[in-house]
Amino acid sequence: MAGPDHAQDDSRTESTEAGNQAGAGPSRKARRQPVARHMVIERVETIPMTAEERRRAVEALAELILHWEHTTAAATNSEEHR
């Protein structure tokens, strides 16, 4: 994952700064754009789980996915109604 050293590489910051320098002014809100990041997985660690731990992990993942979908849908709807 990207650490603090990579914070300077965030293209959202660069595009906002460029917009401010171009006369857009600080009062204009910059729209968030998806940022592609290259990620390398160095290793995968696994540990044995009991059936109950696996069930709870699957439920937690499902909750996270639902939360993400709800948040994404809400953000999309608010962008469409501007």
Side-chain angles (χ1 to χ4, degrees), residues 2 4 8 24 34-35 37 40-41 53 61 64 66 71 74 79-80:
Q8 298 172 4
V35 177
R37 291 190 174 95
V40 176
I41 299 172
E53 288 172 326
L61 180 59
L64 286 170
L66 288 173
T71 304
E79 287 290 322
E80 291 175 354

Side-chain angles (χ1 to χ4, degrees), residues 59-75:
E59 286 179 0
L61 180 59
E63 288 291 326
L64 286 170
I65 291 169
L66 288 173
H67 176 74
W68 175 80
E69 287 177 342
H70 176 74
T71 304
T72 303

Side-chain angles (χ1 to χ4, degrees), residues 11-13 15-16 28-35 75-82:
S11 63
R12 290 176 294 185
T13 303
S15 63
T16 303
R28 183 175 178 181
K29 289 186 179 181
R31 292 183 184 223
R32 287 186 153 180
Q33 298 294 324
V35 177
T76 302
N77 288 336
S78 68
E79 287 290 322
E80 291 175 354
H81 294 353
R82 283 189 178 184

